[in-house]
Amino acid sequence: MKLYQSMRMALKSISSSKVRAFLTMLGIIIGVSSVIILVSVGQGTTSQITEQLNGLGTNQLTVNITGRGATTSLTYKEALALGDIEGVENVAPVITGNVTAKHDTDNVSVSVEGITPSYEDVKDFHVQAGRFLLDIDTEYRQKVALIGSGTAEDLFGTDSPVGQKMQLNGISYKIVGLLETKGSSLGGSNDDKILIPISTAERQLQSKGVRSITVATTTADTVTTVKDKLERLLNVKFNNADNAFTVFDSQEMLETVNSTTDTLSMALAGIAGISLFVGGIGIMNIMIVSVNERTREIGIRKAIGAKKFDILAQFMIESIVLSGLGGFIGVGIGVGGSWLLGKYSPLTVSIAWNMVVISFIFSLLIGVIFGMMPANKAARLRPIHALRNE
Amino acid sequence: MSASEPLIQVNNMTHGYKMAGESMTVLKDLSFTIDFGEFVAIIGPSGSGKSTLMNMLGCLDISDEGSYLLDGQEVRKLSDNKLAAIRNEKIGFIFQSFNLLPKLSAAENVELPLIYRGLSHRERKQLAHEALVKVGLEDRMHHRPSELSGGQQQRVAIARAMAGSPPILLADEPTGALDTRTGHEVMQMIQELNKQGHTIILITHDLEIANQAKRIIRIQDGNLVEDRRNAR
């Protein structure tokens, strides 16, 4: 009852000087909205990276060979031999290159991967129409190809590409399958590429040997042990040369990325937190001014029977309403700004609802903490001194 | 609470201030009593200590020495919050400069002490309305002080003082800021309140105003120099 009255009085005194109230709240508004936007952008980026890394598969290792001296690659057989390591389920050696793909008058520069049939299981990448490559294609260097959905659209529009012909650097290939649409992952688009048998690719790309091998382990838990064994084996092969190869582990990468983005998010939130704190000082400042200006009012209220608590509550509520209102506006700007950023900028934004709640509560707390001193000052004024003040 | 006991009993009240390192005694060993229903004027020139005495009687301040029994209760031993409650329930203040809150309407100003008393919304509205009707301002209830004349403002202040029916009305130079005619009106209103049973303590330096009271206490240099009944 009394609290409701104090609330009304606080709102009245705030609304009687709107510009001042707004300027006072500005610090809180900027603080809260920047906390929300910064953390939302940080979370969005993290989840995007996580998604991409998970798209690479959690039980996979990617071996990249840069080689040493004359040995710059593994032979196809050596690559397949990696499949004998304990804990390895499957191996997909890949040769990569770029070609110009042509159909009728349309042509497009696209990346080509020479693969084995095991690619389908290891990369979990299937066809949506037609068939996948078979062992027999590899064995007889068949000029057959699988086409990514993006490239298919570029070359064939809405027509079905399966069964059609196209030229890769002038050499005619028959398209036997259309790959499913996968979107992008770390390392580029999965849909703008052409897959051909690895043996065919060696000739097409005039490249001997395998430089990239994706290794699938039996379970996600064995990734680390398999990685150790792979590295030992390859070290023997390349005589312990530095930088002859890298073994990329998406899980490890994920942890690194997460810890980096977490640190970054904390730092950003910290900076925004400081601006909230500064906003709190602004509130305290204006509350002290307000108490000084209204000394006489306090005296009158005390003379006609306001207790210490009544005055304390009045000024505390005023300060909490100021900071709470500022927090509320800040939440609005923060959520709205995050949404706009997500919609109209290349950034991936995932609105941090936990931060919305935390920063709003934090802004209320700031009102309590920074209102305490001025309100207490008001409550302790002696009525005769306050009344004498003109 | 019995009517036989005096409402106000001041015994050997002494009070001093320190100013610029020099201490000076403003009230010197004052003793007097005021009964229920009296109309007392406390007069004295400025600097005589009458304002300090008013602060003491109004429970706004506590004297250094002596005792002050209000309605049988020793005021000097009470906490700040208890004093606030006493001011709220037993004393209605009427100030020279009205002391209305400029942002509140007349009705809200009158309600203010009732809010601090913890009355319900309905009771407050009703009491405030009654008080404003009594001072003849029922058509000005929702005006702010700045929209009222000085006399009207003082009438709002009187309504505020008596809305909660406190036994004592403490008026400090209530006509000081008003012209003669409106001052006269205000004094008539105070007379009327006394007839209705309110105990009135009027602090003034104006003998003509003081003469309208039934009893005059004269203060000079902190001493009580005269206490007489006014045979009007």
Side-chain angles (χ1 to χ4, degrees), chain A residues 1-2 5 8-9 12-13 16 296-297 300-311 314 382-384 387-388, chain B residues 17 55 60-61 80-81 84-85 87-88 93 95 97 99-101 103-104 108 112-113 115-116 119-121 124 160:
Chain A
M1 182 55 175
K2 269 187 166 180
Q5 280 300 325
R8 268 192 54 198
M9 286 174 194
K12 205 165 232 169
S13 96
S16 68
R296 191 174 181 80
E297 176 191 329
I300 296 168
R301 286 177 185 274
K302 284 204 152 187
I304 62 176
K307 297 189 172 70
K308 264 185 185 170
F309 175 80
D310 296 319
I311 302 293
Q314 187 190 341
R382 297 198 60 81
I384 46 162
L387 270 177
R388 210 180 289 147
Chain B
Y17 288 117
N55 288 340
L60 292 165
D61 203 356
D80 283 356
N81 279 341
R87 289 197 294 270
N88 186 276
F93 288 93
F95 300 96
S97 48
N99 278 348
L100 300 173
L101 295 188
K103 285 171 193 162
L104 303 184
E108 286 169 327
L112 208 52
I115 290 174
Y116 291 129
L119 295 186
S120 77
H121 183 74
R124 285 191 332 244
R160 179 179 67 185

Side-chain angles (χ1 to χ4, degrees), chain A residues 115-129:
Chain A
I115 60 160
T116 61
S118 60
Y119 188 95
E120 180 172 16
D121 291 332
V122 173
K123 296 264 194 183
D124 192 28
F125 203 178
H126 309 278
V127 290
Q128 53 170 298

Side-chain angles (χ1 to χ4, degrees), chain B:
Chain B
M1 271 295 210
S2 67
S4 60
E5 214 172 287
L7 177 59
I8 285 173
Q9 204 170 345
V10 173
N11 290 315
N12 311 103
M13 185 182 274
T14 300
H15 193 70
Y17 288 117
K18 267 200 174 136
M19 264 201 182
E22 222 174 305
S23 61
M24 46 193 237
T25 312
V26 187
L27 298 179
K28 292 169 191 160
D29 204 25
L30 292 182
S31 298
F32 59 88
T33 61
I34 296 173
D35 289 324
F36 278 97
E38 280 203 82
F39 186 175
V40 185
I42 295 174
I43 63 166
S46 56
S48 60
K50 63 181 193 305
S51 290
T52 307
L53 180 59
M54 187 207 100
N55 288 340
M56 299 301 165
L57 294 178
C59 300
L60 292 165
D61 203 356
I62 290 175
S63 64
D64 294 341
E65 281 166 55
S67 81
Y68 172 26
L69 293 168
L70 197 164
D71 216 355
Q73 202 168 16
E74 175 52 78
V75 168
R76 292 187 66 232
K77 288 180 187 146
L78 297 176
S79 69
D80 283 356
N81 279 341
K82 283 267 168 52
L83 286 176
I86 286 194
R87 289 197 294 270
N88 186 276
E89 284 160 26
K90 306 221 160 140
I91 302 164
F93 288 93
I94 302 165
F95 300 96
Q96 176 176 6
S97 48
F98 324 138
N99 278 348
L100 300 173
L101 295 188
K103 285 171 193 162
L104 303 184
S105 72
E108 286 169 327
N109 264 294
V110 176
E111 273 183 55
L112 208 52
L114 307 174
I115 290 174
Y116 291 129
R117 196 181 286 190
L119 295 186
S120 77
H121 183 74
R122 262 191 48 210
E123 284 175 293
R124 285 191 332 244
K125 281 268 176 285
Q126 198 188 340
L127 287 176
H129 184 86
E130 280 170 15
L132 281 165
V133 169
K134 258 187 208 170
V135 298
L137 285 175
E138 60 263 52
D139 53 342
R140 291 278 191 281
M141 295 229 271
H142 302 295
H143 290 240
R144 291 194 173 192
S146 55
E147 299 160 340
L148 300 172
S149 71
Q152 285 170 334
Q153 285 186 56
Q154 193 59 300
R155 274 145 71 189
V156 173
I158 291 171
R160 179 179 67 185
M162 65 177 208
S165 312
I168 306 167
L169 287 181
L170 198 56
D172 181 16
E173 303 274 12
T175 60
L178 302 173
D179 61 58
T180 323
R181 196 175 60 80
T182 46
H184 189 66
E185 277 171 24
V186 164
M187 281 312 295
Q188 264 185 335
M189 205 164 280
I190 289 173
Q191 295 258 20
E192 188 57 40
L193 287 170
N194 179 241
K195 277 187 196 130
Q196 287 167 14
H198 291 275
T199 308
I200 313 265
I201 301 172
L202 181 72
I203 286 110
T204 183
H205 68 278
D206 187 338
L207 197 59
E208 199 185 324
I209 299 287
N211 274 331
Q212 298 180 44
K214 292 178 187 158
R215 176 182 165 194
I216 294 174
I217 294 176
R218 187 189 296 273
I219 307 281
Q220 206 152 16
D221 296 328
N223 294 306
L224 197 157
V225 292
E226 189 184 2
D227 184 353
R228 66 178 164 90
R229 305 273 153 188
N230 210 350
R232 274 193 299 158

Side-chain angles (χ1 to χ4, degrees), chain A residues 90-103:
Chain A
N90 220 335
V91 173
V94 176
I95 293 175
T96 55
N98 279 294
V99 295
T100 305
K102 190 174 175 226
H103 169 73

